[in-house]
Amino acid sequence: MAEPAQFEELARQLSAVGAVKRDMGRILPPDCPTGSAAVLTLLGRHGDMRMSNLAELLAVDMSVTSRHVAHVAARGWIERHPDPADKRSRILHLTPEGVEQLDELSRRTTHLLAERLADWTDEEVGQLIRLMTRLRASFGDCRSAPLRHTSATAPAFEETTRTPAST
């Protein structure tokens, strides 16, 4: 198992990933903020779904999801159809315009990553993908899972007033 100092450094590096995400957010079209991009991405990846499912995947409150959905619907990127199984619910569906917008988001993201990682080898990019996939799998579905301790003998980490991003 890694040493506590390595986990501390990992926490700092993960916190710094926020800067990467902010940079990626800057390339989004002005009428498609990050919340809207997330809605389009999830519908593109998972297909039609109820708003409650979308809220769960976004890991945000239903009111926040509703605002994001209203934004993309107002631009014609999604449609809301009655759910045949429950007429009170709506099924969210990407429109052809939404698919076009999603394709544009993908092009912009791919271009930015190719530009910023131009000096990385294919193997390094592949290794990063594998490690990030493994990291996410290690956390499982952390949207609703409480923090769990793997054993009663797990090492205790001392509390600190430092923020994870401090160096």
Side-chain angles (χ1 to χ4, degrees):
M1 179 172 209
E3 296 292 319
Q6 288 179 295
F7 290 122
E8 290 173 6
E9 179 58 24
L10 178 59
R12 281 191 287 278
Q13 293 301 322
L14 288 172
S15 180
V17 168
V20 174
K21 289 181 71 174
R22 283 188 297 280
D23 204 24
M24 292 179 74
R26 289 196 233 349
I27 63 160
L28 297 176
D31 62 341
C32 188
T34 56
S36 298
V39 167
L40 295 175
T41 300
L42 289 170
L43 286 171
R45 183 178 304 141
H46 298 285
D48 298 356
M49 69 180 77
R50 288 181 176 183
M51 192 146 41
S52 58
N53 298 106
L54 181 61
E56 186 177 328
L57 289 170
L58 289 170
V60 297
D61 186 77
M62 190 64 113
S63 64
V64 174
T65 303
S66 184
R67 284 194 300 275
H68 293 323
V69 166
H71 183 86
V72 296
R75 279 147 187 79
W77 298 334
I78 66 165
E79 295 173 331
R80 296 176 269 198
H81 299 291
D83 183 346
D86 179 358
K87 299 294 183 197
R88 298 169 296 172
S89 295
R90 299 272 185 219
I91 299 291
L92 307 176
H93 172 77
L94 277 176
T95 63
E97 294 82 5
V99 172
E100 285 179 27
Q101 183 68 12
L102 187 55
D103 289 346
E104 176 62 20
L105 297 175
S106 179
R107 278 190 295 278
R108 288 174 182 235
T109 302
T110 300
H111 177 76
L112 177 66
L113 289 170
E115 179 182 277
R116 297 297 167 88
L117 303 181
D119 60 337
W120 289 41
T121 66
D122 288 351
E123 177 55 35
E124 289 170 325
V125 173
Q127 182 179 12
L128 178 62
I129 292 167
R130 286 187 298 280
L131 290 173
M132 290 183 77
T133 301
R134 185 173 174 193
L135 176 67
R136 289 189 61 209
S138 293
F139 277 79
D141 184 2
C142 58
R143 291 181 298 253
S144 59
L147 181 63
R148 59 184 163 86
H149 297 284
T150 55
S151 73
T153 60
F157 293 94
E158 68 181 61
E159 290 192 33
T160 177
T161 56
R162 292 182 306 186
T163 61
S166 65
T167 55

